[in-house]
């Protein structure tokens, strides 16, 4: 592994062309490391979201009252109840990915509620 001081010494000792070439290599290496870090962060974020969606589908979804086979009046009442119950999770849940999924589901419920209300 090359130390930072060795890189600095090589840059200072080289010709202009060598300095430019070495600087370009350093920049390319830094970009490569940055890309790797970003890919790792993206993978961690995706794993967190996948786990949160699994939690939602296995734990919360089965408890919801609303389904689209009900009458519009029943859907409206049940989606409002579900919305209020899910909104309570915002006060107790601490996992950032679960909170993201909860907020996303609340937005979807608001949209669906407005559609049902308009249809009545």
């Amino acid at each position: 592994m090359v130390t930072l001081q060795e890189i600095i010494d090589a840059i200072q000792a080289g010709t202009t062309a060598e300095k430019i070439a070495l600087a370009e290599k350093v920049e390319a290496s830094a970009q490569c490391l940055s890309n790797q870090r970003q890919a790792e962060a993206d993978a961690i974020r995706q794993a967190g979201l996948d786990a949160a969606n699994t939690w939602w589908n296995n734990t919360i979804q089965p408890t919801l009252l609303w389904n689209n086979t009900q009458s519009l009046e029943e859907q409206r009442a049940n989606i409002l109840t579900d919305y209020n119950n899910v909104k309570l999770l915002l006060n107790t849940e601490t996992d950032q990915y679960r909170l993201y999924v909860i907020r996303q589901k609340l937005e979807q419920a608001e949209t669906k509620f407005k559609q049902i209300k308009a249809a009545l």
Side-chain angles (χ1 to χ4, degrees), residues 8 20 44 103:
I8 292 169
I20 292 170
I44 290 168
R103 288 185 188 101

Side-chain angles (χ1 to χ4, degrees), residues 29-49:
S29 296
Q31 184 61 46
C32 181
L33 288 173
S34 177
N35 291 345
Q36 286 176 340
R37 277 196 313 267
Q38 185 62 49
E40 290 168 359
D42 290 346
I44 290 168
R45 188 172 17 267
Q46 188 59 52
L49 288 174

Side-chain angles (χ1 to χ4, degrees), residues 79 106-117:
I79 205 166
L106 288 172
E107 287 177 18
Q108 291 171 358
E110 287 174 9
T111 301
K112 187 64 179 173
F113 181 80
K114 289 174 185 174
Q115 291 171 346
I116 292 169
K117 188 175 177 182

Side-chain angles (χ1 to χ4, degrees), residues 46-57:
Q46 188 59 52
L49 288 174
D50 290 347
N53 279 311
T54 298
W55 164 80
W56 175 270
N57 292 334

Side-chain angles (χ1 to χ4, degrees), residues 13 15 62:
T15 65

